[in-house]
Amino acid sequence: MSCMRRFCHETQSHDSLHSCMCRRSVALLLLKMSEERDPAALSGSAQTEGEEDLFVSAMESPEAARLSAEDISPSSNGPRDDDPDDPDDLFAEATEEVSLDSPERQPILSDGPSPAITPVTISPRVDVFDRSPDLDEDEEENRDTFDIQISVSDPEKVGDGMNAYMVYKVMTKTSLSIFSRDEVCVKRRFSDFLGLHSKLASKYMHMGYIVPPAPEKSIVGMTKVKVGKEDLSSVEFVEKRRSALERYLLRTVKHPALLKDPDVLQFLESSELPRAVSTQALSGAGILRMVNKAADAVNKMTIKMNESDAWFEEKQQQFENLDVQLRKLHASVESLVCHRKELSVNTASFAKSAAMLGNSEDHTALSRALSQLAEVEEKIDQLHQDQSYADFYLISELLGDYVRLITAVKGVFDQRMKAWAKWQDAQVMLQRKREAEAKLQYASKPDKLQQATDEIREWEGKVQQGERDFEQISKNIRREVGRFEKDRVKDFRVVIIKYLESLVHTQQQLIKYWEAFLPEAKAIA
Amino acid sequence: MKQTFCVIFKKESSIIAVDSISCGPHCLMNVDLQTDATLQVDISDALSERDKVKFTVHTKSTLPNFKQNEFSVVRQHEEFIWLHDSFVENEEYAGYIIPPAPPRPDFDASREKLQKLGEGEGSMTKEEFTKMKQELEAEYLAIFKKTVAMHEVFLCRVAAHPVLRKDLNFHVFLEYNQDLSVRGKNKKERLEDFFKNVVKSADGVLVAGVKDVDDFFEHEKTFLLEYHNRVKEASAKSDRKIRSHKNAADDINRIASTLYTLGTQDSTDLCKFFLKVSELFEKTRKIEARVAADEDLKLADLLKYYLRESQAAKDLLYRRGRALVDYENANKALDKARAKNKDVLQAETTQQVCCQKFEKISESAKQELIDFKTRRVAAFRKNLVELAELELKHAKGNLQLLQSCLGVLKGDT
């Protein structure tokens, strides 16, 4: 395993060259390992458990009132439930068929109709797009089943005052071969997660991979925690963040390419992680990020792409619409959560006043009935509170996650536009160089002519590369979008069914309470 | 755009089925009023115009005082208040709990919402607009029905009271088919009323401080004071609770609409899913809104009514207390007069008058307070039972909808 560790260290630098070489070596290593390893040992005990338990978090936060385990575990990652039974599901889109014997792989082009390309010498830079991990994934995942459990738990406050921060325990249980141990436990802080995301984004976004976005920063929330307010809102904030971090990690490892990424592996396994300083908002990197974002926005407006493929246009429009509706839905659900909390509070205060009324009532039977009413209302208030937690953790957070995911999806489409623009620019340059060469031919300056011809060859190569890149990113996006949609369908289905089940539970409890009260009311004589 | 909202409420064809709006002596809060053929009063019709509500008061009577056996007149809210005030000011009725006056019909909030909706018509889709308009119309109708019920209850209580039903003003109110020319109080009168109330509450405190010889009344005094306050608090809290409930139901409405849009737009298998869930939420929202409305009717209105009644009972006790103080003062004056042997006869007559007044009030007050308790217990029982039954009905309805939808959705996968 030491060789793997060495490669992991190399990924510290964001140099994509290193990372691609690293990945290639890791991939080779994995293939060797998988060939040696006994496939039979792979099916973990997790397979026998029901889908529900797959991602149960290790820690149940006592403050958050949870519904009973058999109905709902909001701390379980419902939306991240994956079907362990068909690992092939994830890779139905991947169509690469590769012979594993040749260690020297030829650049794989898209399997769709592609323009004829003259073979070109490959510079290492090229590998970034060609080393599509689906070559390895197919084989890998066919042998390993998707068996990995991640939990984020035990938030602990470290330090004091404004320099304090929360540290979370990240526990990984897996039987996948790429991990060095079956069970790993590490401590991570929020900026570590952000750092991981920024590394992954810089490596994979421009290839058209949808990198799951990290949870958002919250200055207000964190300040309260730092200052040491032990009130309900800061407890809720920490719990909300813990849950979001867990979902983030699960989404990340669900992505077949990201799972193999050494940064991810290092994040999950290594006990010491260099502090990701560049994620701070006011750092140099932070400012650079903001500048880049602005530049991107401007570029987006100026690039007018000739969309030859209707699929992309259609999909972009669909995601636009989905974005609008999801945001609207999210806002309504947040409002519902708020009102239900209010309802719970008001029901509790009504219960108290009803109890007082019962006390002052001098007719004994009526007095008793009123006290009973007060008790029923108190139980109902607890019910409302639980329901509001379900509203929040099931639906609201899922919608929030998807709103952010769709932003990532739109980002990926933008990357494709950028790739197209780069290709077009290369073509323009090539044209210019050809014109320049033609001019030089008339002027007959032999030395400059040679340089011009060289430049033409260089730019021809760039054009071809640009086209290949564009094709590759388009192909990747198609696959990614297919996978994304599949996941989306699954997520929403699972969550909505869970949510409806929580509503069923609430109604059943209501029936129970009122049925108990009715004879009391009838007994008033 | 200005909207003139005109609602004609006919009992036979109610647009919304509201279970508890009833007619005749079986009024909302008064369970045990006997079906008395000699005098039956109800509100058979009502019309809401811009800022006025016109009630059609329908009377059926076999009493000889009336010219006909069955007749109707149109009355407005101010005329009800006039009637109530005439009872209060009548010394003869000092010993009775005067049925509390119905609250003024208040459509302001609803009207404002309707207007806002009209203004915002351009900014929402046709379906959303029609949906919201229907909602607001339903709300308006519900408030309308409530105010009709309140006015009816008042009349029923008067008609059921053995003494008040014979009141001349009441008969005029029922029969005189011209306008009673009762105007609302002008500013001067309102100011007078205000000062009168201030004096009265100060006096009330003084009077309440006097310890009563009679245990029954002493107990009633302490009981009513505490009870009134508790009812006030419970009433306020139940209002807040019901408002939150309505807000939550509104949210579910919006969620249902957005899910519908998502369902129509989605290209994956989720479209059917979303449409089904949207349909479900539409239905459950209606049920949630009904739950809030029923709680309002059975619980909040009950509490509000007994807030007013307990105030009327307190007023009775105050009048009795006042009479007691007058009696005791008259006694002291008589003793003083006898001691000085001056104006003895006058003092004696005053004392006699006070004594009679006090005893008359005490006698009827005792019966009134006992009746009040009986009525109260019966009303609470009826409403609590009905509340529990309605809550159960709605919860079961909700449950069935949810379960059948779940069945379909799970089966689809």
Side-chain angles (χ1 to χ4, degrees), chain A residues 205-492:
Chain A
M205 277 273 280
H206 62 105
M207 279 170 53
Y209 282 41
I210 300 173
V211 176
E216 280 169 355
K217 289 196 193 192
S218 161
I219 300 178
V220 174
M222 261 330 272
T223 317
K224 269 206 224 158
V225 172
K226 286 186 193 192
V227 163
K229 276 179 86 178
E230 280 300 320
D231 64 352
L232 189 61
S233 67
S234 49
V235 166
E236 274 180 13
F237 170 78
V238 170
E239 173 54 33
K240 186 174 156 186
R241 178 164 274 194
R242 182 207 67 78
S243 167
L245 290 173
E246 196 172 78
R247 288 195 308 272
Y248 164 67
L249 281 182
L250 282 164
R251 281 215 178 90
T252 307
V253 298
K254 214 169 171 207
H255 193 299
L258 298 182
L259 174 58
K260 308 281 183 41
D261 185 276
D263 278 329
V264 171
L265 295 173
Q266 183 192 34
F267 180 89
L268 290 175
E269 288 194 318
S270 93
S271 46
E272 281 304 314
L273 206 61
R275 178 96 190 276
V277 186
S278 61
T279 58
Q280 283 166 352
L282 291 181
S283 65
I287 296 187
L288 190 62
R289 256 203 306 278
M290 281 193 274
V291 170
N292 280 339
K293 257 197 198 153
D296 278 348
V298 171
N299 277 340
K300 195 165 160 191
M301 290 190 281
T302 53
I303 297 177
K304 278 285 179 292
M305 182 166 166
N306 283 342
E307 188 56 77
S308 53
D309 195 342
W311 185 92
F312 283 93
E313 206 168 313
E314 201 184 300
K315 277 296 169 196
Q316 266 187 295
Q317 189 55 46
Q318 276 175 6
F319 279 116
E320 241 354 276
N321 295 341
L322 190 61
D323 191 29
V324 166
Q325 294 306 320
L326 282 185
R327 276 177 205 269
K328 216 162 129 187
L329 191 60
H330 189 212
S332 302
V333 172
E334 283 192 322
S335 169
L336 177 64
V337 169
C338 187
H339 284 138
R340 253 211 244 275
K341 274 206 193 118
E342 223 176 77
L343 177 60
S344 158
V345 165
N346 287 340
T347 308
S349 97
F350 172 71
K352 281 201 198 83
S353 71
M356 302 252 301
L357 184 63
N359 278 345
S360 68
E361 172 62 62
D362 62 353
H363 185 270
T364 23
L366 180 56
S367 166
R368 192 173 48 235
L370 283 171
S371 311
Q372 295 284 9
L373 180 69
E375 268 181 44
V376 166
E377 293 286 343
E378 220 180 286
K379 289 193 201 135
I380 292 181
D381 121 62
Q382 190 57 43
L383 213 57
H384 283 310
Q385 202 180 37
D386 292 344
Q387 183 63 60
S388 84
Y389 278 121
D391 290 346
F392 180 71
Y393 280 104
L394 285 181
I395 303 281
S396 178
E397 289 284 83
L398 173 75
L399 289 172
D401 286 350
Y402 265 91
V403 164
R404 281 198 302 277
L405 270 170
I406 291 195
T407 314
V409 171
K410 291 207 276 191
V412 141
F413 277 100
D414 289 344
Q415 292 290 337
R416 178 172 172 269
M417 268 202 332
K418 269 177 40 184
W420 181 84
K422 204 161 146 205
W423 176 28
Q424 296 303 316
D425 289 346
Q427 281 185 325
V428 165
M429 271 311 264
L430 178 62
Q431 190 60 31
R432 262 194 235 152
K433 294 292 178 193
R434 284 202 173 125
E435 284 167 6
E437 191 220 21
K439 277 200 204 125
L440 285 176
Q441 283 208 326
Y442 285 128
S444 61
K445 287 191 186 138
D447 49 335
K448 286 232 179 107
L449 195 61
Q450 184 55 38
Q451 185 189 20
T453 327
D454 285 341
E455 280 181 357
I456 288 183
R457 241 205 310 278
E458 183 194 338
W459 279 99
E460 274 177 356
K462 284 206 181 138
V463 164
Q464 279 161 1
Q465 185 57 44
E467 187 174 3
R468 260 206 305 279
D469 290 351
F470 180 69
E471 298 284 328
Q472 187 62 39
I473 196 178
S474 301
K475 184 169 73 113
N476 285 346
I477 290 183
R478 275 183 194 263
R479 194 187 60 240
E480 285 287 292
V481 166
R483 191 179 62 84
F484 177 80
E485 291 286 79
K486 239 197 180 106
D487 283 347
R488 180 166 76 90
V489 169
K490 215 185 273 178
D491 278 355
F492 272 85

Side-chain angles (χ1 to χ4, degrees), chain B residues 288-397:
Chain B
E288 288 292 332
R290 284 310 312 277
V291 170
D294 286 338
E295 283 179 352
D296 195 22
L297 226 43
K298 299 294 172 191
L299 200 54
D301 281 354
L302 175 73
L303 291 170
K304 278 201 204 80
Y305 185 79
Y306 276 95
L307 181 62
R308 291 202 301 277
E309 271 253 16
S310 57
Q311 182 61 48
K314 272 169 73 181
D315 289 342
L316 169 63
L317 279 181
Y318 162 72
R319 288 195 292 272
R320 179 177 170 281
R322 174 86 259 155
L324 177 60
V325 167
D326 289 343
Y327 180 36
E328 288 183 351
N329 288 344
N331 272 338
K332 286 199 202 116
L334 181 60
D335 287 343
K336 240 201 269 174
R338 282 203 180 129
K340 287 196 197 152
N341 211 354
K342 195 172 152 195
D343 297 324
V344 173
L345 194 58
Q346 191 186 21
E348 267 180 359
T349 7
T350 322
Q351 195 254 24
Q352 286 279 38
V353 163
C354 283
C355 177
Q356 269 169 358
K357 181 170 167 198
F358 173 67
E359 278 174 1
K360 179 161 165 244
I361 290 182
S362 287
E363 197 182 310
S364 57
K366 191 163 193 163
Q367 190 54 47
E368 287 280 303
L369 286 168
I370 292 173
D371 286 344
F372 171 60
K373 181 164 171 170
T374 322
R375 266 203 315 276
R376 184 174 80 242
V377 172
F380 267 79
R381 181 186 191 281
K382 173 170 182 273
N383 281 290
L384 286 178
V385 167
E386 284 177 0
L387 174 71
E389 286 173 347
L390 283 169
E391 293 266 5
L392 270 173
K393 176 172 140 204
H394 292 315
K396 285 186 180 149

Side-chain angles (χ1 to χ4, degrees), chain A residues 107-149:
Chain A
I108 302 298
L109 302 175
S110 72
D111 48 353
S114 56
I117 289 194
T118 54
V120 161
T121 47
I122 306 165
S123 62
R125 187 78 190 77
V126 170
D127 276 342
V128 172
F129 284 100
D130 290 298
R131 186 81 299 160
S132 57
D134 39 329
L135 303 176
D136 315 314
E137 285 155 16
D138 259 28
E139 303 308 314
E140 232 12 70
E141 295 309 317
N142 282 340
R143 300 195 200 190
D144 287 328
T145 44
F146 190 76
D147 167 24
I148 177 167
Q149 294 177 38

Side-chain angles (χ1 to χ4, degrees), chain A residues 318 321 325 335-336 339 346 349 353 356-357 360-362 377 485 488 493 501 507 514 522 524, chain B residues 219 223 227 230-231 234 237 241 244 251 258 265-268 273 376 381 391 395 398 410 413:
Chain A
Q318 276 175 6
N321 295 341
Q325 294 306 320
S335 169
L336 177 64
H339 284 138
N346 287 340
S349 97
S353 71
M356 302 252 301
L357 184 63
S360 68
E361 172 62 62
D362 62 353
E377 293 286 343
E485 291 286 79
R488 180 166 76 90
R493 235 193 210 135
E501 285 173 349
Q507 294 302 318
W514 286 110
K522 287 192 170 152
I524 304 173
Chain B
H219 164 82
F223 163 72
Y227 188 78
R230 299 277 169 89
V231 168
K237 298 274 163 68
K241 173 172 92 100
S244 303
D251 285 330
T258 321
Q265 280 180 357
D266 205 289
S267 56
T268 64
F273 207 79
R376 184 174 80 242
R381 181 186 191 281
E391 293 266 5
N398 234 341
K410 279 185 175 160
T413 50

